[in-house]
C-alpha cells in the first residue's frame, strides 16, 4: 500500500485540531484552570508598589518640614517625637526617653559639621543641654548610642529609592491615623544586617511620612506639619564628653551608714 506524503497528512491533522478547538469553544462548560505545581515559588513582589515607594521616598528626601509624631513603644507611655528637616538640608529628631534605658531625653541632629547626639533636659532628668559629635555627616549613629527613631525620617530613604536594594514591597492597608499610601516592606537578603526595619511605612503625596510601624514601635503624625526653619540649631553647646548609651545607668552605690553604739539608759 502506497503511503501518503507527509505534506498531505499535516494539513489534515491541523484541520482536525482546528475543528476540535472550535467545538471546545462552543461547549457551555468553562475550561478548567491549570493547577499550580507545589514547586512553584512565591509570587514576585508588587513592582507597582516598589516603584511607588521609591517615588515617595525620593519626594521625602527633598521634603522640608517640622512635624510632631506620637511614638508608641511597648513598655512606655505614648511619647511626642519632633522631627524637623530644615531648608538647608540639616535635620533634627527629638526623642523623649531615647537614651539611658528610657531615663533620658535625647536629640539626634545632623549639620554639615557632623552628626550629633544631644542631651535634652526634662522634668525627671534636669541636665544642662549639651551635644557630642558621634559621626561624620551622612554616616550612621554608632549602634551603642543609637535610639533608632531618626532612621525612619532620613537614614532609610536612600534604601527605598534604590531599586537594586534587597527589598520586597507590597501595598498595605492604611495604618490608623495615616494619610496617603502605605507600603509593607520586607527584606529578601539572607544577611543578618537588614538594610531597613521590616514594617509598614505610610507617605503622603508630597513625601511626608505620616505613619510607620517598625521594630522599635509605631509612629503616627500628630497634626499638620509646620514650615521648615532655614537651618537646624543644636539644643546645647558641643562638648568633648561621652555620648549617652542605650543601657540604663547602674544604680548608685549604697552608702553604708556607720553603726552608732547605743547609749546606756541612766537609772532613775
Amino acid at each position: 500500500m502506497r503511503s501518503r506524503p507527509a505534506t498531505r497528512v499535516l494539513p489534515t491533522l491541523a484541520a482536525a485540531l482546528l475543528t476540535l478547538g472550535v467545538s471546545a469553544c462552543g461547549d457551555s462548560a468553562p475550561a478548567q484552570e491549570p493547577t499550580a505545581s507545589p514547586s512553584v515559588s512565591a509570587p514576585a513582589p508588587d513592582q507597582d508598589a516598589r516603584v511607588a515607594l521609591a517615588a515617595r521616598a525620593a519626594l521625602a528626601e527633598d521634603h522640608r518640614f517640622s512635624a510632631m509624631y506620637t511614638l508608641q513603644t511597648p513598655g512606655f507611655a505614648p511619647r511626642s517625637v519632633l522631627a524637623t528637616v530644615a531648608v538647608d538640608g540639616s535635620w533634627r529628631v527629638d526623642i523623649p526617653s531615647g537614651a539611658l534605658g528610657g531615663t533620658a531625653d535625647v536629640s539626634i541632629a545632623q549639620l554639615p559639621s557632623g552628626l550629633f547626639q544631644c542631651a535634652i533636659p526634662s522634668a525627671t532628668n534636669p541636665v544642662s543641654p549639651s551635644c557630642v559629635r558621634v559621626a561624620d555627616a551622612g554616616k550612621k549613629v554608632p549602634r551603642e548610642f543609637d535610639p533608632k527613631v531618626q532612621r525612619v525620617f532620613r537614614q532609610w530613604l536612600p534604601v527605598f529609592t534604590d531599586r537594586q536594594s534587597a527589598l520586597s514591597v507590597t501595598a498595605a492597608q492604611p495604618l490608623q491615623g495615616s494619610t496617603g499610601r502605605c507600603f509593607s516592606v520586607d527584606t529578601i537578603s539572607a544577611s543578618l544586617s537588614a538594610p531597613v526595619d521590616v514594617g509598614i511605612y505610610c507617605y503622603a503625596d508630597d513625601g511626608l511620612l505620616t505613619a510607620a510601624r517598625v521594630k522599635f514601635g509605631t509612629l503616627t503624625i500628630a497634626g499638620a506639619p509646620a514650615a521648615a526653619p532655614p537651618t537646624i540649631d543644636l539644643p546645647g553647646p558641643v562638648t568633648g564628653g561621652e555620648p549617652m548609651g542605650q543601657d540604663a545607668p547602674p544604680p548608685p552605690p549604697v552608702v553604708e551608714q556607720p553603726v552608732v553604739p547605743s547609749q546606756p539608759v541612766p537609772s532613775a
Side-chain angles (χ1 to χ4, degrees):
M1 180 177 176
R2 182 184 299 175
S3 62
R4 288 179 294 176
T7 54
R8 296 181 59 186
V9 173
L10 291 177
T12 304
L13 178 60
L17 292 175
L18 179 61
T19 303
L20 179 61
V22 171
S23 174
C25 291
D27 196 339
S28 59
Q32 209 172 27
E33 291 290 309
T35 304
S37 171
S39 62
V40 175
S41 59
D46 186 343
Q47 292 302 316
D48 290 341
R50 182 70 183 91
V51 171
L53 174 61
R56 300 210 174 198
L59 291 172
E61 289 184 318
D62 295 331
H63 195 58
R64 303 294 185 255
F65 68 97
S66 181
M68 193 72 71
Y69 293 80
T70 299
L71 172 60
Q72 295 179 304
T73 304
F76 290 88
R79 294 172 278 168
S80 295
V81 170
L82 177 62
T84 302
V85 181
V87 174
D88 66 355
S90 59
W91 55 266
R92 171 177 162 181
V93 181
D94 294 350
I95 309 158
S97 305
L100 299 180
T103 63
D105 295 354
V106 68
S107 178
I108 303 296
Q110 180 173 286
L111 300 175
S113 56
L115 186 63
F116 299 87
Q117 185 211 66
C118 303
I120 304 175
S122 65
T124 57
N125 188 34
V127 298
S128 297
S130 62
C131 300
V132 178
R133 189 177 186 273
V134 294
D136 294 336
K139 300 297 184 179
K140 300 177 182 179
V141 178
R143 184 182 300 273
E144 61 268 31
F145 313 126
D146 189 1
K148 302 180 182 179
V149 180
Q150 80 286 343
R151 297 182 186 183
V152 178
F153 296 101
R154 305 310 295 168
Q155 181 178 318
W156 290 336
L157 294 179
V159 181
F160 292 155
T161 58
D162 182 6
R163 296 289 304 280
Q164 302 304 315
S165 57
L167 299 179
S168 172
V169 181
T170 55
Q173 291 296 319
L175 294 177
Q176 185 175 3
S178 69
T179 58
R181 290 188 61 182
C182 296
F183 305 90
S184 177
V185 177
D186 202 349
T187 178
I188 56 177
S189 172
S191 170
L192 295 178
S193 179
V196 298
D197 268 7
V198 170
I200 296 177
Y201 300 81
C202 303
Y203 291 94
D205 293 341
D206 59 2
L208 177 69
L209 180 79
T210 61
R213 187 170 67 203
V214 290
K215 289 181 181 178
F216 62 74
T218 300
L219 277 166
T220 309
I221 197 164
T231 190
I232 289 297
D233 293 323
L234 294 177
V238 179
T239 68
E242 285 293 318
M244 295 181 290
Q246 289 301 296
D247 295 333
V254 177
V255 178
E256 295 185 2
Q257 298 295 328
V259 177
V260 178
S262 58
Q263 297 296 325
V265 179
S267 57

